[in-house]
Amino acid sequence: MNNFTFTNPVKIIFGKDTIKNITSEIPVGSKVLITYGGGSIKKNNVYEQVINALSSFEYTEFSGIEANPHFETCMKAVALIKEKHIDYVLAVGGGSVIDATKFIVAAACFDDSDPWQILSKGLEIKKALPFGTVLTISATGSEMNDGGVITKAATQEKLAFSSPLVFPKFSVLDPTVTFSLPPRQIANGVVDAFIHVIEQYLTYNEGDSLLQDLMSEAILKTLVLEGPKALENPTDYDVRANLMWASTWALNYWISCGVPQDWATHMIGHELTAFYGLDHAQTLAIVLPGVMTRLKDQKAKKIKRLGKEVFGLQATSDSELIDKTIAAVEGFFEQMGNKTHLSDYGLDEDAIEKVEKRFIERGWKLGECKNITSDVVVEILRLRL
């Protein structure tokens, strides 16, 4: 196990009818900005609960945050914060709203230069407004970590950032608010969480971080078992509670302690979203089987363990077990309703060439061994045509 330092300061408030608790979490006298997306929170009673909880506060609303939040939209919220002298922000939504809010609270205090450089150049965040979250979609884990991903529509770039200053102060997780989600969002959430775990688990690591491996497998098993149930019976509280908590633990940094991490699937997938607007989880479902196939020698021990421990597979040879495991992963994504090939979305060799050009320009080397170069990215994507 590698050396590590671990801190996670986020207070989690979990369970039914807990949105009202935000009243005691936000400092008295705060001027609050509520951030949210397209307005679905006004159809499922979440908005009403939030407004009731904030009845003693002065608050302003900012809506319209996209599914892949745009830098341009975030900067409109920053302008509103400065105009209204906001000193606390409440994100009400899924990972996109929370990611956007993380950037907004940092950009609002970023006066020295263009806030886009937080993403494009990795400039340090030195100050951020405090914020909390009310989670409405279990997927990204953004409610309990310090990272986010923002898209610049003008240049079709989707980039990640992180800072300990953008951990939420608290997050309210009420599984009942996920009951009304459409099947596509349920599926996307499960697939996203599954691959978050995979990025931290499916590496060259020889299994000397036993507790992290077992915890990762517990999360993966939960997603595999409960994901299809959520599609069949969306209002089963226990199922939705298990999925919500599993998604949070998939990316709250606990299972990444002391282990190598990959994240190539995410970085490749981001380009497909930036160029073609595919859902984040859709891109991940396309890319991961290709990464597993192309790097199966490097990741062989963990792929075999994944097959045995999570999918209950057996085989007469290592190569057969590896192939069965990759097929099981792809089959799970398809079972959840996420297609796994570029052609399923009308994309072909032209899309691969476009992504390749972007990687050549950036000179990125991805993966836990930094051996996924632009030519390897092309090989991975061609496997997914």
Side-chain angles (χ1 to χ4, degrees):
M1 190 185 305
N2 300 327
N3 294 356
F4 65 88
T5 299
F6 175 71
T7 302
N8 193 311
V10 183
K11 180 177 182 178
I12 297 295
I13 303 168
F14 191 101
K16 300 176 183 178
D17 194 30
T18 50
I19 293 177
K20 64 179 182 293
N21 292 356
I22 65 178
T23 302
S24 58
E25 299 298 326
I26 300 175
V28 175
S30 296
K31 293 184 177 180
V32 181
L33 177 67
I34 307 169
T35 56
Y36 58 97
S40 62
I41 63 169
K42 294 184 176 180
K43 301 175 183 177
N44 59 9
N45 197 39
V46 173
Y47 176 83
E48 183 179 354
Q49 292 181 71
V50 169
I51 295 304
N52 288 340
L54 294 178
S55 60
S56 63
F57 293 88
E58 179 182 342
Y59 64 85
T60 304
E61 300 178 28
F62 182 85
S63 63
I65 294 174
E66 303 86 356
N68 290 289
H70 290 180
F71 167 76
E72 293 87 348
T73 301
C74 291
M75 293 309 295
K76 292 178 182 178
V78 169
L80 185 60
I81 284 174
K82 294 181 177 180
E83 175 191 343
K84 299 291 186 179
H85 304 289
I86 299 295
D87 53 22
Y88 205 100
V89 182
L90 181 67
V92 184
S96 294
V97 171
I98 299 172
D99 279 12
T101 300
K102 290 176 180 177
F103 184 76
I104 289 165
V105 298
C109 303
F110 200 79
D111 298 323
D112 296 336
S113 56
D114 179 5
W116 177 247
Q117 293 183 74
I118 294 171
L119 297 132
S120 64
K121 296 185 178 180
L123 292 191
E124 181 184 4
I125 296 171
K126 297 181 179 179
K127 184 180 179 182
L129 295 175
F131 76 104
T133 87
V134 175
L135 184 67
T136 61
I137 301 173
S138 50
T140 70
S142 192
E143 66 276 3
M144 200 179 178
N145 65 45
D146 67 351
V149 182
I150 301 296
T151 297
K152 192 171 187 178
T155 55
Q156 293 185 304
E157 295 176 271
K158 184 175 181 180
L159 298 172
F161 73 102
S162 66
S163 167
L165 296 180
V166 296
F167 274 113
K169 299 298 182 184
F170 68 89
S171 288
V172 175
L173 279 61
D174 180 348
T176 65
V177 307
T178 67
F179 287 178
S180 61
L181 292 174
R184 177 171 168 177
Q185 288 187 312
I186 295 173
N188 281 349
V190 171
V191 170
D192 193 15
F194 183 95
I195 297 178
H196 285 160
V197 179
I198 290 293
E199 299 277 29
Q200 302 163 86
Y201 168 84
L202 200 71
T203 66
Y204 66 81
N205 190 28
E206 293 298 315
D208 52 2
S209 304
L210 181 61
L211 185 58
Q212 290 90 321
D213 286 347
L214 291 172
M215 185 69 177
S216 296
E217 289 157 7
I219 299 169
L220 292 170
K221 285 181 181 179
T222 300
L223 295 167
V224 169
L225 290 171
E226 302 287 60
K229 294 178 186 177
L231 292 177
E232 295 171 6
N233 187 1
T235 59
D236 185 315
Y237 179 82
D238 291 330
V239 168
R240 302 315 291 270
N242 285 332
L243 287 176
M244 180 169 270
W245 197 218
S247 298
T248 298
W249 273 86
L251 198 56
N252 66 1
Y253 302 151
W254 196 97
I255 61 172
S256 68
C257 289
V259 302
Q261 300 179 57
D262 187 342
W263 298 106
T265 297
H266 271 70
M267 299 303 288
I268 297 168
H270 285 171
E271 300 307 320
L272 295 174
T273 296
F275 285 132
Y276 301 104
L278 271 65
D279 294 351
H280 175 56
Q282 290 174 338
T283 71
L284 301 181
I286 293 169
V287 175
L288 178 61
V291 170
M292 294 176 70
T293 301
R294 174 59 177 78
L295 297 172
K296 62 184 177 182
D297 292 337
Q298 176 178 309
K299 299 175 181 287
K301 190 165 185 176
K302 277 299 187 65
I303 293 176
K304 290 184 291 181
R305 177 166 178 147
L306 174 69
K308 291 177 181 177
E309 300 299 331
V310 175
F311 291 101
L313 301 175
Q314 295 180 340
T316 57
S317 68
D318 287 350
S319 61
E320 181 187 3
L321 181 56
I322 288 171
D323 290 343
K324 280 187 172 182
T325 303
I326 296 171
V329 169
E330 188 170 344
F332 173 59
F333 296 160
E334 294 278 355
Q335 181 185 12
M336 290 303 301
N338 282 55
K339 299 299 182 181
T340 57
H341 291 84
L342 290 167
S343 56
D344 292 324
Y345 300 94
L347 301 180
D348 54 21
E349 187 72 31
D350 290 343
I352 297 176
E353 292 177 4
K354 200 166 184 177
V355 172
E356 178 188 21
K357 182 179 179 182
R358 172 72 47 92
F359 275 90
I360 290 173
E361 290 171 352
R362 291 177 176 161
W364 281 353
K365 295 180 180 180
L366 306 177
E368 72 268 21
C369 295
K370 303 301 180 187
N371 58 351
I372 301 179
T373 53
S374 58
D375 57 322
V376 178
V377 171
V378 170
E379 292 178 41
I380 289 168
L381 291 177
R382 282 180 176 157
L383 288 168
R384 308 312 302 157
L385 283 169

